[in-house]
Amino acid sequence: MPEENKGIYDLEQDDCSAPDSIDFDISSDLEAIYSVPVTISAVLGKAVMPINQLLRLGRGAVVELDRKIGDPIDILVNDRLIARGEVVMVDETRLGVTMTEIIKSEK
């Protein structure tokens, strides 16, 4: 991976091995989960509108979201909020997300 893309995870690569920099001993039981796929979503914002307004939307319509430009976006893993971040440009045609805040689990 080129130096400018260092730290960017390429979702198309097939290597699902354990991370190299873990500070604790991992049992062989946990290694089985490293190949389990998860869905990662980056949510720019949300909007609520009645169905009749939704049905009137057409090509070129703008839906106003509940966030402002520069606000952090939500990063979800399997529909669970895990972090907040910023949208970045990976190259001329692709976007990525930089995590700026990790959300601690509520247990």
Side-chain angles (χ1 to χ4, degrees):
M1 187 172 285
E3 186 64 32
E4 67 270 6
N5 290 344
K6 189 174 182 182
I8 296 173
Y9 180 74
D10 185 358
L11 295 177
E12 295 175 357
Q13 75 183 21
D14 291 331
D15 182 17
C16 293
S17 59
D20 293 331
S21 61
I22 294 184
D23 296 333
F24 54 88
D25 187 31
I26 297 179
S27 71
S28 60
D29 293 338
L30 285 178
E31 289 188 24
I33 68 169
Y34 287 125
S35 61
V36 174
V38 295
T39 301
I40 301 172
S41 305
V43 179
L44 298 174
K46 298 178 183 175
V48 176
M49 68 178 62
I51 290 177
N52 67 342
Q53 186 178 354
L54 175 67
L55 293 173
R56 289 193 310 242
L57 294 176
R59 187 180 184 122
V62 176
V63 176
E64 186 175 340
L65 302 175
D66 61 351
R67 306 253 175 109
K68 294 179 176 50
I69 294 175
D71 284 354
I73 62 169
D74 292 338
I75 301 168
L76 308 169
V77 173
N78 289 348
D79 294 324
R80 178 180 290 228
L81 179 66
I82 59 122
R84 291 207 171 82
E86 298 174 351
V87 177
V88 295
M89 204 163 87
V90 175
D91 59 31
E92 298 82 33
T93 60
R94 296 177 29 178
L95 297 175
V97 178
T98 299
M99 288 190 217
T100 58
E101 175 188 0
I102 304 297
I103 307 298
K104 296 197 183 216
S105 174
E106 296 177 16
K107 287 190 176 184

